[in-house]
């Protein structure tokens, strides 16, 4: 579908009709299925004179994110506001600098606020002739129906374990046994599998999370496990944002002339600088909150995969175990509990996820979950 559309897009550039191309696309699929990668490859196909050869300057610029006609948006906070969206729409309306297309790749488009989504809808309803919108979201339902109905849908599915292992082994030169382990443990999430295969720290964090079920022997242990999990998420978020924050802040200070003697500096500019700095700090805070929440959510999903394996063993289901390397722990829990108990535990984790998404204090939500996992 994408190749045909890219060929049609090429015809339009040559002055043809280009039936089969459309200006708004929605890429959906579960996390790790490669929504952004697919959208980016399609962007390269639209901007490359050879329909996405993968080798030329245009393709290269798209892949590294420096192409002047590709606008990539990745909301970093919990939501994407209407002001940012309006600015984006203005930039999207410009003519292509290289004469082909202007492409906007909007990752996590489901994070657009209602007002932002309405602004986006107007832009998609009346697009400039050479502007193409590529929206990415986990599922079509995550966007307003009015936006969804104007997009052509590209649905991606979770790749098979063997396919993920193959990518790791051939592209990243990971030994086959580690590639298989990582692909299984990541359950088809390619980026997660890659991190597990290549990063010792990520492997250790996984082991710590999956060691939780056997550590929940008393109430005190549950509280301690909750505290550890929340703290780890905070540390992960802090580590991921520290350098980023520092660079952004010093860039902004430079922009507003701080560090110079201040002589001749316009007072309005100084006041503007304080406002912009406050705005940046708010954005950084929102990003840290999101990263912390994402990290906690990933840990909770890891726990779900553990109990799902236990359930599979209890029921004698012939399915691949995600955590095959922990067979001993799985087996012990499978023998010492019933399938009903396992299901109840999975429910407790899913309820914990919902409460975190609803902004319940993480420590409280995770504690309640740990206590439910124990009993
Ligand atoms: Zn190319």
């Amino acid at each position: 579908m994408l190749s045909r559309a890219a060929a049609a897009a090429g015809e339009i550039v040559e002055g043809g009709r280009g039936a089969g191309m459309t200006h708004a696309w929605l890429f959906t699929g579960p996390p790790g299925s490669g929504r952004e990668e697919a959208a980016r490859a399609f962007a390269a196909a639209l901007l490359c004179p050879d329909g996405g050869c993968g080798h030329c300057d245009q393709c290269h610029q798209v892949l590294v994110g420096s192409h002047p006609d590709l606008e990539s948006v990745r909301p970093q906070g919990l939501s994407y506001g209407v002001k940012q969206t309006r600015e984006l729409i203005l930039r999207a309306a410009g003519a292509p600098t290289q004469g082909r297309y202007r492409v906007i790749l909007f990752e996590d488009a489901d994070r657009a606020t209602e007002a932002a989504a309405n602004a986006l809808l107007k832009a998609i309803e009346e697009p400039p002739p050479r502007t193409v919108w590529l929206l990415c979201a986990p599922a079509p339902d995550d966007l307003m129906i009015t936006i969804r109905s104007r997009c052509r849908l590209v649905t991606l599915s979770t790749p098979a374990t063997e396919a993920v292992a193959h990518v790791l082994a051939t592209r990243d030169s990971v030994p086959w046994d580690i590639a298989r382990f990582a692909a299984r443990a990541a359950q088809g999430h390619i980026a997660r599998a890659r991190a597990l295969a290549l990063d010792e720290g990520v492997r250790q964090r996984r082991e710590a999370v999956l060691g939780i079920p056997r550590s929940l022997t008393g109430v005190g242990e549950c509280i301690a496990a909750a505290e550890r999990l929340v703290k780890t998420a905070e540390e992960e978020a802090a580590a991921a944002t520290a350098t980023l924050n520092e660079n952004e802040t010093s860039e902004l200070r430079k922009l507003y002339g701080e560090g110079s003697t201040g002589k001749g500096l316009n007072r309005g500019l100084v006041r503007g600088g304080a406002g912009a700095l406050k705005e940046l700090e708010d954005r950084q805070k929102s990003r840290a909150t999101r990263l912390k929440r994402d990290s906690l959510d990933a840990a909770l999903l890891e726990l779900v995969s553990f109990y799902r394996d236990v359930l599979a063993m209890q029921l004698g289901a012939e399915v691949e175990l995600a955590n095959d390397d922990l067979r001993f722990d799985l087996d012990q829990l499978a023998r010492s509990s019933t399938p009903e108990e396992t299901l109840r535990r999975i429910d407790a984790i899913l309820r914990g996820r919902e409460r975190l998404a609803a902004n319940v204090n993480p420590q409280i939500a995770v504690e309640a979950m740990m206590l439910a996992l124990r009993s």
Side-chain angles (χ1 to χ4, degrees):
M1 173 166 58
L2 294 175
S3 303
R4 273 200 307 275
E11 280 172 35
I12 293 175
V13 173
E14 306 289 327
R17 248 176 13 96
M21 177 57 189
T22 185
H23 68 279
W25 296 76
L26 174 57
F27 291 77
T28 66
S33 57
R35 300 183 295 251
E36 281 84 35
E37 283 74 9
R40 194 168 293 276
F42 185 46
L46 294 176
L47 295 173
C48 162
D50 285 327
C53 66
H55 309 293
C56 70
D57 251 13
Q58 308 276 336
C59 284
H60 182 70
Q61 285 177 358
V62 169
L63 297 179
V64 301
S66 65
H67 197 290
D69 285 330
L70 173 67
E71 188 84 42
S72 284
V73 188
R74 177 184 292 164
Q76 297 193 317
L78 292 170
S79 63
Y80 196 75
V82 65
K83 189 170 159 228
Q84 289 159 295
T85 307
R86 290 217 177 96
E87 285 164 10
L88 174 69
I89 291 167
L90 275 181
R91 289 200 299 277
T97 59
Q98 314 261 346
R100 288 183 69 87
Y101 288 93
R102 251 187 114 63
V103 183
I104 299 92
L105 201 180
F106 197 153
E107 300 181 19
D108 297 336
D110 52 308
R111 289 188 192 254
T113 61
E114 200 182 333
N118 278 316
L120 193 61
L121 173 64
K122 284 203 197 80
I124 289 177
E125 275 175 333
E126 292 166 39
R130 290 290 185 83
T131 299
V132 180
W133 290 85
L134 310 178
L135 310 179
C136 302
D141 287 353
D142 294 331
L143 294 187
M144 301 194 311
I145 185 158
T146 38
I147 292 187
R148 203 161 81 214
S149 63
R150 281 173 178 79
C151 295
R152 192 173 299 166
L153 196 61
V154 181
T155 311
L156 303 169
S157 55
T158 305
T161 305
E162 201 51 31
V164 176
H166 187 262
V167 170
L168 295 180
T170 52
R171 189 191 61 187
D172 301 319
S173 311
V174 173
W176 268 102
D177 54 334
I178 298 181
R180 286 214 180 82
F181 148 77
R184 249 196 331 267
Q187 298 174 80
H189 192 306
I190 299 176
R192 168 85 184 149
R194 191 162 186 274
L196 274 171
L198 301 176
D199 188 337
E200 177 66 30
V202 173
R203 279 201 293 275
Q204 281 170 359
R205 275 199 293 279
R206 167 179 176 270
E207 266 168 41
V209 169
L210 295 179
I212 288 174
R214 69 165 175 270
S215 77
L216 302 177
T217 49
V219 173
E221 282 80 2
C222 291
I223 308 284
E227 202 180 310
R228 265 202 316 278
L229 199 63
V230 172
K231 209 165 143 239
T232 309
E234 268 164 12
E235 283 166 2
E236 256 180 34
T241 46
T243 335
L244 221 50
N245 286 359
E246 221 170 274
N247 291 346
E248 285 170 352
T249 308
S250 82
E251 279 297 308
L252 193 69
R253 283 185 195 280
K254 244 187 280 166
L255 188 67
Y256 281 99
E258 196 167 297
S260 70
T261 59
K263 260 184 212 154
L265 205 63
N266 178 319
R267 265 193 207 169
L269 195 60
V270 172
R271 269 202 300 278
L277 197 61
K278 172 81 179 55
E279 204 174 286
L280 177 66
E281 280 167 3
D282 287 347
R283 258 205 330 271
Q284 290 173 338
K285 231 191 247 163
S286 162
R287 179 170 63 200
T289 307
R290 175 183 168 184
L291 283 173
K292 181 180 156 190
R293 200 181 276 183
D294 286 354
S295 159
L296 259 183
D297 195 54
L300 262 44
L301 284 176
E302 202 102 68
L303 280 174
V304 170
S305 82
F306 182 90
Y307 288 106
R308 175 253 187 206
D309 282 353
V310 171
L311 188 64
M313 286 174 110
Q314 287 173 325
L315 299 177
E318 299 277 322
V319 294
E320 185 183 61
L321 299 179
N323 306 292
D324 199 50
D325 53 318
L326 300 170
R327 222 165 229 284
F328 181 78
D329 284 8
L330 296 172
D331 194 48
Q332 275 209 321
L333 198 56
R335 283 166 198 277
S336 63
S337 60
T338 65
E340 288 77 14
E341 282 172 314
T342 310
L343 271 176
R344 200 171 39 68
R345 287 174 172 142
I346 291 174
D347 270 346
I349 303 172
L350 297 179
R351 217 166 34 245
R353 289 186 73 204
E354 277 167 20
R355 298 180 75 196
L356 284 174
N359 257 333
V360 173
N361 176 309
Q363 181 71 28
I364 291 172
V366 176
E367 262 174 27
M369 181 195 85
M370 294 291 183
L371 289 166
L373 289 182
R374 173 187 168 246
S375 55

